[in-house]
Amino acid sequence: DGGITQSPKYLFRKEGQNVTLSCEQNLNHDAMYWYRQDPGQGLRLIYYSQIVNDFQKGDIAEGYSVSREKKESFPLTVTSAQKNPTAFYLCASSPGQMTYEQYFGPGTRLTVT
Amino acid sequence: DQQVKQNSPSLSVQEGRISILNCDYTNSMFDYFLWYKKYPAEGPTFLISISSIKDKNEDGRFTVFLNKSAKHLSLHIVPSQPGDSAVYFCAASASGGSYIPTFGRGTSLIVHP
């Protein structure tokens, strides 16, 4: 069964701690993306990677970091520098650079207190 | 500044009637448009898309209309069903750019039995 998995579904952290969100895909897609969703804000792009070992900042990259060491994995670290980390985080992938449609994972709800 | 706008945060419709969700965009470079459907605590799923060379695309109960001169698109759902209750995101991409879509803030559709 091909798809995108994100774990865990719910994550709780104390303020000041870094936390890493997992995203794995077995669709053999080249491109992967991280979005953040806040109530009434839609989906905002944090980082994206169009090829292994390369990634680009999105619209709201401050306070986040990523790595893309393997084609199937694109973990996102929410650092203590992110001022408002509590949100719903979505990972997506697409077949390649010149494709429009994205496939989304189920998301991770991060709560920082 | 929002490049993709969904000005109605919510829409309530009776089962069996038509649901019309609207989307406006400002960037004239956008030439491909997508609609995604999202249930609570899940990732969005692709619903339907339209290229700027067309003004209508139909898939079963879902039809998307594009008015390029007005920079406006709409999603029609006929007939609406309770299972259609979800948040609908409009997204727009530019083939001359990164292909990464810009998302609107979403419209929450509630279909009453």
Side-chain angles (χ1 to χ4, degrees):
Chain A
D1 233 352
I4 300 177
T5 56
Q6 291 185 245
S7 60
K9 183 79 172 169
Y10 299 95
L11 194 52
F12 298 88
R13 281 292 182 271
K14 293 289 188 188
E15 195 173 324
Q17 293 179 335
N18 290 357
V19 58
T20 298
L21 281 60
S22 165
C23 177
E24 304 278 330
Q25 55 100 359
N26 61 4
L27 300 167
N28 199 32
H29 285 174
D30 286 326
M32 296 186 75
Y33 314 82
W34 274 105
Y35 291 91
R36 168 183 172 138
Q37 186 192 8
D38 296 281
Q41 287 289 332
L43 277 64
R44 294 185 290 170
L45 182 65
I46 304 173
Y47 266 99
Y48 65 98
S49 168
Q50 293 179 323
I51 197 167
V52 175
N53 292 322
D54 186 50
F55 49 83
Q56 306 295 330
K57 292 182 179 180
D59 301 319
I60 55 165
E62 186 176 347
Y64 300 98
S65 65
V66 293
S67 62
R68 186 85 188 278
E69 296 175 3
K70 298 186 295 183
K71 187 176 185 177
E72 58 270 23
S73 179
F74 191 40
L76 172 75
T77 297
V78 184
T79 75
S80 56
Q82 167 51 231
K83 294 195 180 351
N84 296 298
T86 294
F88 189 55
Y89 290 87
L90 286 159
C91 179
S93 70
S94 65
Q97 296 183 29
M98 296 172 68
T99 52
Y100 297 105
E101 187 182 331
Q102 295 179 329
Y103 298 78
F104 285 85
T108 292
R109 166 72 63 185
L110 172 65
T111 302
V112 177
T113 56
Chain B
D1 190 28
Q2 280 185 274
Q3 296 187 67
V4 177
K5 300 178 185 178
Q6 294 178 256
N7 292 321
S8 298
S10 63
L11 176 67
S12 183
V13 169
Q14 202 70 29
E15 181 179 5
R17 307 293 288 268
I18 184 170
S19 294
I20 300 176
L21 293 87
N22 294 304
C23 179
D24 297 294
Y25 61 96
T26 58
N27 189 340
S28 56
M29 299 300 292
F30 289 147
D31 57 4
Y32 199 85
F33 305 88
L34 310 96
W35 285 93
Y36 284 84
K37 176 179 179 179
K38 184 184 180 302
Y39 293 115
E42 294 184 10
T45 55
F46 169 75
L47 191 58
I48 193 170
S49 62
I50 188 167
S51 164
S52 60
I53 62 173
K54 295 185 175 182
D55 53 19
K56 176 182 173 181
N57 189 27
E58 197 170 348
D59 184 2
R61 296 185 297 113
F62 303 90
T63 303
V64 57
F65 296 91
L66 175 63
N67 182 335
K68 288 187 292 292
S69 60
K71 293 191 175 69
H72 176 83
L73 60 153
S74 60
L75 174 68
H76 292 212
I77 307 173
V78 184
S80 301
Q81 300 173 353
D84 296 330
S85 298
V87 176
Y88 290 80
F89 289 101
C90 171
S93 294
S95 61
S98 67
Y99 283 76
I100 299 173
T102 298
F103 286 85
R105 295 187 174 186
T107 295
S108 176
L109 173 66
I110 299 172
V111 180
H112 296 283

